[in-house]
Amino acid sequence: MARTADDTWGPDNGVGLTATFGAAMRALATSAGLINDPLAEALVRAAGVPSLARMVDDRRYADDGAHDAVTSDLITLLGVQTRFFDEFLAAAGRAGIRQVVILASGLDTRPYRLWWPPGTTVYELDQPDVIDFKTAVLQHLRADLNAHRRAVGVDLRADWSTALRRVGYDVGQPTAWIAETLLGGLLSADAQNRLLNDVTAASAVGSRFAADHLPGWAAWDRRGLDAGLAGLTYRDEFHPVPQYLGEQGWQTDDRDIADLFAMIGMGARWTGSDVEDAIAPRYVTATRSARAARGWNAFAR
């Protein structure tokens, strides 16, 4: 079913399936020792998507030891991506940032599974049904929080910044932002630009931002690849995320997937071909400079 400007979803339908798929991959990456997300499997099972529950079972209990090359590579890729964002947040905490915003938080459990410096508040933003589902499951599991959590059920195509301020977000304090999977076509080009504008307007000097992004779908289309996302993603012409942020005054650094593996000491594990490199996400990190602060102050008014 094609996307619409006002579509909604939960963890078992529509765009929400990407969140549950991500949780399944984290459950398997945990089993493989790449990351530690002990809550992921319970969330997948509670979501009630049979194919994704079977994926966890099939990989964990496979007769071949779960060595299917394609699936193993995908688990490794998403496990490394998770570690990239986790380590980005850890570095922000070491730098003194105590305010974190996770855009499209999905079924990830960072406020629970990561260590946070005392006094850290983590804001999680996603569709109301996704937020309510995750909160209820984790309360049932009696999962312990390691930070102050503020969950905001809101559509990121709407006025999410006002909702964020209502639950205590301080525009005057530097923030660490992450947008995992979101900038891979889950928003239209216009909605993506608005979101990045709002992030900039809500970011004090010294704020940091990290996201994975796809430069475009042309490489996929030229190779006739079907990612199973045709009904979930927009095939717009997107303004390159690093360039867009740079034009707003952020200092940016853009990396490819090989760089990501090398950054966390797993360079030898990435053996991708030129084709795989061309269709893999890229990863941008950015720091908000004083020039951005002078140009984008509407949010504070």
Side-chain angles (χ1 to χ4, degrees), residues 217 220-221 223-231 235:
W217 288 96
W220 290 80
D221 295 336
R223 293 173 174 84
L225 297 172
D226 179 7
L229 300 176
R235 299 302 178 98

Side-chain angles (χ1 to χ4, degrees), residues 2-301:
R3 296 290 308 280
T4 63
D6 59 353
D7 54 349
T8 60
W9 52 87
D12 61 347
N13 63 84
V15 175
L17 290 172
T18 64
T20 307
F21 176 79
M25 290 294 101
R26 284 190 297 276
L28 292 170
T30 297
S31 296
L34 290 171
I35 63 171
N36 182 31
D37 188 349
L39 300 167
E41 182 174 343
L43 286 163
V44 173
R45 299 196 185 283
V49 181
S51 61
L52 295 179
R54 279 197 307 273
M55 179 184 293
V56 173
D57 288 338
D58 289 348
R59 294 294 300 165
R60 177 165 292 177
Y61 305 113
D63 292 336
D64 66 354
H67 292 311
D68 173 70
V70 173
T71 307
S72 294
D73 286 348
L74 183 58
I75 292 167
T76 301
L77 171 60
L78 294 182
V80 168
Q81 176 174 296
T82 298
R83 285 179 57 177
F84 164 75
F85 285 108
D86 289 353
E87 293 184 12
F88 168 84
L89 293 172
R94 290 193 297 270
I97 293 176
R98 298 293 182 267
Q99 188 167 249
V100 173
V101 178
I102 303 178
L103 299 164
S105 59
L107 299 187
D108 190 79
T109 58
R110 287 186 170 98
Y112 301 83
R113 66 177 178 80
L114 297 182
W115 177 87
W116 298 94
T120 301
T121 299
V122 181
Y123 298 88
E124 292 192 297
L125 277 63
D126 211 314
Q127 284 278 330
D129 285 351
V130 175
I131 289 289
D132 290 347
F133 167 81
K134 180 167 67 173
T135 300
V137 171
L138 296 177
Q139 286 178 343
H140 178 74
L141 294 173
R142 298 183 179 180
D144 292 327
L145 282 163
N146 296 321
H148 302 294
R149 176 180 181 249
R150 300 288 182 268
V152 184
V154 66
D155 193 319
L156 291 172
R157 298 164 296 186
D159 184 12
W160 57 267
S161 57
T162 296
L164 186 61
R165 282 183 292 175
R166 284 175 179 160
V167 295
Y169 179 81
D170 185 353
V171 70
Q173 297 298 317
T175 302
W177 304 81
I178 63 170
E180 188 173 6
T181 307
L182 180 62
L183 306 185
L186 295 183
L187 297 173
S188 69
D190 287 343
Q192 179 170 301
N193 291 344
R194 287 195 302 272
L195 179 130
L196 293 175
N197 290 345
D198 290 343
V199 167
T200 297
S203 295
V205 172
S207 293
R208 303 182 182 191
F209 178 87
D212 57 310
H213 65 101
L214 286 174
W217 288 96
W220 290 80
D221 295 336
R222 283 196 300 270
R223 293 173 174 84
L225 297 172
D226 179 7
L229 300 176
L232 303 181
T233 58
Y234 292 91
R235 299 302 178 98
D236 295 358
E237 289 295 325
F238 291 93
H239 198 131
V241 175
Q243 179 183 342
Y244 199 90
L245 291 171
E247 290 169 356
Q248 297 183 14
W250 293 78
Q251 303 298 312
T252 66
D253 190 3
D254 197 39
R255 302 172 176 88
D256 62 21
I257 188 63
D259 294 331
L260 212 66
F261 273 69
M263 283 174 60
I264 64 171
M266 294 181 60
R269 295 284 297 272
W270 176 250
T271 58
S273 66
D274 291 342
V275 171
E276 289 169 322
D277 287 337
I279 63 176
R282 296 187 65 86
Y283 298 86
V284 61
T285 56
T287 302
R288 195 181 184 216
S289 67
R291 182 164 67 89
R294 290 194 296 270
W296 291 84
N297 58 7
F299 185 90
R301 289 200 292 264

